Amino acid sequence: MSHLEIRQLSKSFEGKEVLTDVNFSVDDGEFVSLLGPSGSGKSTLFQNIGGISLPSSGSIYLNGAEINGNRGSISYTPQSPSLMPWRTILDNVLLGQEIAGNRDKDKALQMIVRAGLKGYENAYPHELSGGMKQRVSFIRSLLSPQELILLDEPFSALDEFTRIDMQKWLLSIWDEYKRSILFITHHIEEAIFLSDRIIILSGKPATVSKEFVIPFARPRNEDILLSEEFLQWKKRIYEEMKESPNS
Ligand SMILES: Nc1ncnc2c1ncn2[C@@H]1O[C@H](COP(=O)(O)OP(=O)(O)OP(=O)(O)O)[C@@H](O)[C@H]1O
Ligand SMILES: [Mg+2]
């Protein structure tokens, strides 16, 4: 079980407010995307939720308990994840489990194959492209034991086709693993395709301007990307983001 609740969260850097009065929640098993323009404060919000930094005011609750500044209760993959250069891909993938004390090498190998990285398990990070490294850190977070996973633009370094493949892959894994996912993107289509709910962050300082419940049935496949209904969602969200510009 996991229920995340963000209440009245604000964050300033040197007196300049970046986030103001942010309120939202993520229910057990939900896939929620945070959509906002570049520089709106999405990664800052994740650093607060992941316990890497503290909000200036407000609270983050996980299952009713305040977790401000606590690392480890939520699986957090930063925007530019670092793999340990001296560890092989397999050992990097196993890192999240190692910290929790249960290595499952077979599962890790299986995930490496499913991420299209077969044959790279004994390679070192410097031998991989940027997109491949992103996939490694992504499966590392999926294999860690926490029930809520924060993913900060995990597919931003991928080309359009690889991105859609990875989105489909993520949905199939998510179906199997039943985790809650809070996902950052500034890609409107990606947010619609993946999410149960989309939270729009906008304004300077940023706050939640709107929430949308995305009604497409699951399992979803890429056919919906070309449907009239999908296009309407794209328009609706685009209009919303345009109306509350980030300046
Ligand atoms: N440690 C810091 N010190 C000072 N300012 C910071 C710090 N971290 C972030 N900021 C500022 O906060 C604002 C939001 O940054 P953030 O990285 O959260 O944006 P973002 O929405 O994740 O952008 P992107 O989509 O480009 O990743 C920016 O103006 C940035 O300069
Ligand atoms: Mg960011």
Side-chain angles (χ1 to χ4, degrees), residues 31 107-108 110-117 134-143 151 154-155 158 161-177 181 193-194 220:
F31 197 125
K107 186 99 220 167
Q110 196 187 324
M111 294 282 265
I112 287 172
V113 172
R114 286 187 70 179
L117 297 167
Q134 255 186 340
R135 281 181 267 168
V136 173
S137 61
F138 178 48
I139 53 184
R140 177 172 65 189
S141 68
L142 280 176
L143 280 168
L151 298 169
F155 304 142
L158 305 177
F161 291 105
T162 314
R163 179 193 275 262
I164 292 173
D165 277 347
M166 287 304 290
Q167 290 167 357
K168 288 194 293 191
W169 178 75
L170 170 58
L171 287 183
S172 70
I173 296 284
W174 176 67
D175 214 40
E176 202 175 299
Y177 279 64
I181 296 183
F193 185 55
L194 294 173
R220 296 177 184 170

Side-chain angles (χ1 to χ4, degrees), residues 43 79 152-153:
S43 296
Q79 188 162 5
D152 192 345
E153 299 198 42

Side-chain angles (χ1 to χ4, degrees), residues 188-189 192 216 224-238:
I188 295 179
E189 288 189 34
I192 304 170
F216 290 102
I224 66 169
L225 296 173
L226 300 172
S227 69
E228 186 57 34
E229 196 184 350
F230 197 91
L231 191 65
Q232 276 167 9
W233 274 106
K234 252 173 83 175
K235 272 191 198 151
R236 195 171 304 161
I237 290 170
Y238 180 78

Side-chain angles (χ1 to χ4, degrees), residues 37-44 47 79 152-153 184 186:
S38 192
S40 57
K42 303 180 298 296
S43 296
T44 302
Q47 282 155 14
Q79 188 162 5
D152 192 345
E153 299 198 42
I184 287 182
H186 42 219

Side-chain angles (χ1 to χ4, degrees), residues 114-134:
R114 286 187 70 179
L117 297 167
K118 188 172 173 5
Y120 285 94
E121 50 277 7
N122 297 316
Y124 288 88
H126 74 269
E127 301 172 67
L128 273 60
S129 75
M132 289 159 90
K133 279 187 266 202
Q134 255 186 340

